[in-house]
Amino acid sequence: MSNLNIYDNLKEVPEEYLKPITGGRLKGMSDIKPQWRIMRLTEQFGPCGIGWKIQNVNFTYQTKGEETVCNCSLEFLFKHENEWSEPILGFGGSMFSTVVKNGIYVSDEAQKMTYTDAISVATKMTGIAS
């Protein structure tokens, strides 16, 4: 088996799973729909918790001035040839509270977005969406 088999199998993202970013500093780029990653990991390794898993999830918050960012760190593991990989670290971040023209906006989805970001970072090491 080639060392690139898993990488090559996971690298292509079909157009229907890409979402254009239409504003902000990433305008013109694309975001990958998160459920596509879950589907591809499941196809490649098996169901979550059996063929791949996330562990040691940790959320922290950092405040600077009137704004707060939510950070997430986690470990991604996958099973290959019936053996678990070493943990692959993933880090993500999303604004929890930010100053807007009418005051401070607090996101009730900051942890979810941060967690999703950290998973995408960790799973890149498999070649997914490369």
Side-chain angles (χ1 to χ4, degrees), residues 17 19 31-39 41 52 54 57-59 70-76 89-94 109-124 128-129:
Y17 295 103
K19 183 172 57 175
D31 197 13
I32 299 166
K33 294 181 181 178
Q35 203 57 35
W36 176 83
R37 288 182 205 282
I38 304 303
M39 180 182 72
L41 291 170
W52 64 277
I54 305 295
V57 178
N58 185 46
F59 292 98
C70 175
N71 295 301
C72 178
S73 63
L74 55 76
E75 296 173 342
F76 165 72
L89 296 177
F91 300 94
S94 183
E109 296 198 352
Q111 281 190 330
K112 180 185 80 165
M113 293 187 300
T114 301
Y115 179 69
T116 300
D117 187 26
I119 290 172
S120 72
V121 169
T123 59
K124 283 179 189 178
I128 198 163

